């Protein structure tokens, strides 16, 4: 049966003149409107609207015992978040399993692994070091600085094994389980979700000359209909998910950045202490930190990917290796290397079970089932939603910097290598923290510190005051460069999607707008409800894009299978071989 050549042209309408020249106005305006509504809502003072007495035994998400309906952003987002985590837990788990399996198959399958994200004679634009630096800095750098210490420490105290009574928290016998879950959350699944988006976009953009925007990856399924309203909806969902996913990452980074500034003596006014003794960033601290971060990131975004972002990414990687070497030399080296080797083995063995496991609550407070379901919702499902919300940003960025690489090379570079880098950081840095607590040298100073402060607390335990100050300054600088790299990359990616795949930073006012919008979303949600409000908004935003990602994976499978058939029949498969524009 004969097969037609693929679609190599997608006519997405863009404005010919005016302020939105070169942009798809409905995508750009709708995205800005939705984000503006979120900002205004978050910044409004907490309010209550009395709707009358609540029905006896009411279980409404937002109605208190007195019948008041909360309109506060943090409360409403938290309620919706809880509903999604309880309802779509199976969906998130199985979707992430699909991404991992698909990436591995595409890399190993000869028909797909040898294909280039581009034409046969295309060469990579960036060196391997710059490629990896930009990919890693945009993909996970900020979270790694926060969670390389915090996550192994948390799971060392509590994880599914402790909930089931198999191991005892905060003991030597619980170290291996702590790393199984740390590696699960930051391993292949995280990078597979990014890789799928980037691979689909790179395949269709550089082999078929379709625009570098999310809708292009769905053309094999929906064809030319992606030029209209359906395509606009896909790109709008991607823009909102990007804003929320990046805001989550920036939120963690801002909190840690402020903790670092406090540690090096900038001022106690950067933080505030609640009645229960917990320490968090003050409003003034959030504003100052965001002004510094977003100001620098906007300037970098204006310079484009090949200049500011590439330069900052190389600094990121250099400083990251310096800090890692520091911990290898002065940290708990043997403990960390043992955790790395054993942890990777345990993680690989656990994948077949963990990747498909869904725990469901039995509705009984304090029961084992309820504890496991609550733990999975707060950790695994939250992470899967975070990676999905972050995927349109990282995926478009990966596609942008990966032209000319084969599918196999791309998957190995975008999924395997970054995962190993994360494992190394978690084992060496987090392992040092656990070892200091196990041996009594820390005396609870690390474990009792807040999530954003644990890395700095560990440096204070390990080193003299002067050396701890110097290393804290280096960490703050690295954190700032990661924050700037992620923010400026996000701004450029959002504009690329709004401009129907046009990669040029031609619209300075729009770059400035999105830089300010990201700052306001992060600041507004933190002020409204802390990091929990950002997490809730992100989980909500990730849900519709998860469906888009599944469709992208299916479209990629269809495209590669059809291209194999085309090659056997002598039919053109790339845009340079096609003179006409037939239907798919």
């Amino acid at each position: 049966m004969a097969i037609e050549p693929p679609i190599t042209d997608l006519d997405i309408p863009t404005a010919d003149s005016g302020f939105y020249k070169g942009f798809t106005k409905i995508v750009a305006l709708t995205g800005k409107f939705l984000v503006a509504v979120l900002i205004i809502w978050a910044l409004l003072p907490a309010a209550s609207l009395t709707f009358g007495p609540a029905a006896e035994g009411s279980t409404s998400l937002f109605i208190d015992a007195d019948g008041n309906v909360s309109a506060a952003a943090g409360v409403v987002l938290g309620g919706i978040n809880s509903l999604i985590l309880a309802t779509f837990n199976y969906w998130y788990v199985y979707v992430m399993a699909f991404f991992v399996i698909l990436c591995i198959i595409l890399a190993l399958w000869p028909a797909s692994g040898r294909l280039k994200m581009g034409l046969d004679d295309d060469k990579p634009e960036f060196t391997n070091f710059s490629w990896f630096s930009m990919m890693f800095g945009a993909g996970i750098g900020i979270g790694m600085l926060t969670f390389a210490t915090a996550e192994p420490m948390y799971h060392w105290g509590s994880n599914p094994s402790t909930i089931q009574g198999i191991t005892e928290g905060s003991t030597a016998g619980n170290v291996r389980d702590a790393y199984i879950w740390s590696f699960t959350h930051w391993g292949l699944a995280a990078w597979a979700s990014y890789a799928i988006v980037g691979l689909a976009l790179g395949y269709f953009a550089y082999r078929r000359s379709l625009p570098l925007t999310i809708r292009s990856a769905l053309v094999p399924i929906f064809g030319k209909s992606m030029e209209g309203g359906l395509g606009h909806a896909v790109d709008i969902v991607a823009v909102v998910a990007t804003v929320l996913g990046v805001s989550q990452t920036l939120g963690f980074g801002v909190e840690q950045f402020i903790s670092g500034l406090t540690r090096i003596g900038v001022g106690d006014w950067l933080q505030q202490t609640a009645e229960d003794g917990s320490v968090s960033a003050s409003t003034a601290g959030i504003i100052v930190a965001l002004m510094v971060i977003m100001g620098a990131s906007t300037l970098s975004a204006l310079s484009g990917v090949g200049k500011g972002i590439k330069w900052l990414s190389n600094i990121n990687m250099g400083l990251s290796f310096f800090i890692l070497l520091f911990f290898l030399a002065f940290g708990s080296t043997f403990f960390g290397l043992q955790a790395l080797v054993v942890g990777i083995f345990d993680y690989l063995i656990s994948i077949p079970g963990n990747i498909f496991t869904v725990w469901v609550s039995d509705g009984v407070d304090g029961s084992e089932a309820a504890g496991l379901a609550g733990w999975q919702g707060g950790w695994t499902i939250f992470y899967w939603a975070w990676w999905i919300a972050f995927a349109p940003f990282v995926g478009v960025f990966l596609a942008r910097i990966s032209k000319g690489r084969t599918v196999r090379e791309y998957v190995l570079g975008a999924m395997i290598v970054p995962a190993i880098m994360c494992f190394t950081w978690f084992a060496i840095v987090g392992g040092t923290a656990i070892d200091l607590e196990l041996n009594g040298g820390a005396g609870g100073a690390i474990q009792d510190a807040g999530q954003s402060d644990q890395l700095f607390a560990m440096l204070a335990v390990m080193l003299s005051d002067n050396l701890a100050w110097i290393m804290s300054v280096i960490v703050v600088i690295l954190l700032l460069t990661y924050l700037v790299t992620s923010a400026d990359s996000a701004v450029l990616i959002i504009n690329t999607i709004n401009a129907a795949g046009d990669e040029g930073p031609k619209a300075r006012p729009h770059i400035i707008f999105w830089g300010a919008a990201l700052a306001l979303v992060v600041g507004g949600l933190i002020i409204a409800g802390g990091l929990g409000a950002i997490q809730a908004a992100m989980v909500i935003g990730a849900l519709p894009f998860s469906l888009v990602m599944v469709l992208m994976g299916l479209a990629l499978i269809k495209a590669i299978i059809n291209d194999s058939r085309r090659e056997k029949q002598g039919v053109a498969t790339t845009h340079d071989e096609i003179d006409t524009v037939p239907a798919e």
Side-chain angles (χ1 to χ4, degrees), residues 374-394:
W375 184 92
Q376 187 175 46
W379 283 97
T380 306
I381 306 300
F382 159 70
Y383 270 124
W384 292 173
W386 187 6
W387 305 149
I388 288 169
F390 212 43
F393 153 54
V394 182

Side-chain angles (χ1 to χ4, degrees), residues 108-131:
L108 298 179
W109 184 21
S112 59
R114 61 181 173 77
L115 292 174
K116 271 192 175 183
M117 295 170 63
L119 307 179
D120 291 339
D121 57 351
D122 283 340
K123 302 296 181 183
E125 179 182 357
F126 302 100
T127 65
N128 287 338
F129 182 81
S130 291
W131 179 56

Side-chain angles (χ1 to χ4, degrees), residues 201-571:
L201 292 175
Y203 190 89
F204 296 115
Y206 303 130
R207 290 185 65 82
R208 299 189 177 179
S209 195
L210 296 177
L212 189 64
T213 187
I214 303 297
R215 71 175 78 188
S216 295
L218 302 185
V219 167
I221 295 177
F222 298 105
K224 284 285 190 174
S225 63
M226 297 312 293
E227 294 176 345
L230 182 60
H232 299 335
V234 168
D235 281 349
I236 291 167
V237 167
V239 167
V240 174
T242 298
V243 170
L244 295 175
V246 173
S247 295
Q248 175 69 70
T249 304
L250 294 179
F252 283 126
V254 165
E255 289 273 0
Q256 191 174 29
F257 182 62
I258 291 173
S259 291
L261 291 178
T262 304
R263 283 275 181 175
I264 64 178
V266 173
D268 293 337
W269 56 272
L270 292 166
Q271 294 182 317
Q272 60 190 8
T273 303
E275 293 181 0
D276 61 1
S278 61
V279 178
S280 61
S282 67
T283 300
I286 294 169
I287 292 172
V288 170
L290 287 173
M291 287 179 64
V292 172
I293 294 163
M294 300 313 300
S297 65
T298 301
L299 291 175
S300 179
L302 290 170
S303 69
V305 174
K307 296 179 181 178
I309 296 175
K310 176 183 175 181
W311 181 72
L312 283 172
S313 296
N314 288 339
I315 292 177
N316 291 345
M317 194 54 56
L319 286 177
S320 295
F321 277 118
F322 171 77
I323 293 175
L324 190 59
L325 289 173
F326 166 82
F327 277 100
L328 275 170
F330 301 104
S332 302
T333 307
F334 178 75
F335 186 95
L337 291 176
Q338 185 180 40
L340 176 63
V341 175
V342 176
I344 290 177
F345 173 79
D346 288 342
Y347 163 62
L348 293 176
I349 295 300
S350 74
I351 287 177
N354 287 347
I355 202 171
F356 294 110
T357 296
V358 181
W359 283 301
V360 180
S361 175
D362 58 6
V364 179
D365 290 341
S367 69
E368 181 180 297
L372 289 170
W375 184 92
Q376 187 175 46
W379 283 97
T380 306
I381 306 300
F382 159 70
Y383 270 124
W384 292 173
W386 187 6
W387 305 149
I388 288 169
F390 212 43
F393 153 54
V394 182
V396 175
F397 188 74
L398 288 181
R400 167 64 183 83
I401 64 176
S402 300
K403 182 179 180 180
R405 299 186 182 273
T406 65
V407 170
R408 184 172 295 113
E409 179 186 12
Y410 170 84
V411 170
L412 291 175
M415 189 170 80
I416 307 297
V417 177
I420 292 174
M421 184 68 173
C422 285
F423 297 162
T424 304
W425 262 82
F426 275 63
I428 302 301
V429 180
T432 297
I434 292 175
D435 190 45
L436 288 171
E437 290 288 1
L438 268 176
N439 293 330
I446 303 172
Q447 198 166 16
D448 295 339
Q451 177 178 279
S452 63
D453 195 43
Q454 287 185 328
L455 177 57
F456 300 106
M458 177 168 56
L459 292 172
V461 170
M462 292 173 57
L463 306 171
S464 66
D465 290 345
N466 289 335
L467 286 177
W469 185 87
I470 292 171
M471 284 303 300
S472 294
V473 169
I474 294 173
V475 172
V476 168
I477 293 172
L478 175 59
L479 187 60
L480 178 60
T481 59
Y482 270 134
L483 284 162
V484 171
T485 303
S486 294
D488 61 12
S489 301
V491 169
L492 289 178
I493 295 310
I494 292 169
N495 268 331
T496 297
I497 296 173
N498 285 335
D502 188 340
E503 302 169 44
K506 62 185 184 312
R508 293 175 181 267
H510 299 283
I511 289 176
I512 294 171
F513 170 87
W514 284 111
L518 279 174
L520 289 171
V521 169
V522 174
L525 289 175
I526 290 178
I527 292 169
L531 286 176
I534 299 181
Q535 293 171 10
M538 179 274 300
V539 169
I540 296 166
L543 185 58
F545 191 70
S546 65
L547 175 60
V548 173
M549 287 179 62
V550 170
L551 292 174
M552 292 175 79
L554 296 176
L556 187 60
I557 294 171
K558 179 181 179 182
I560 292 175
I561 291 174
N562 284 345
D563 280 354
S564 296
R565 293 175 57 201
R566 290 181 180 108
E567 287 184 354
K568 291 178 181 178
Q569 296 180 22
V571 178

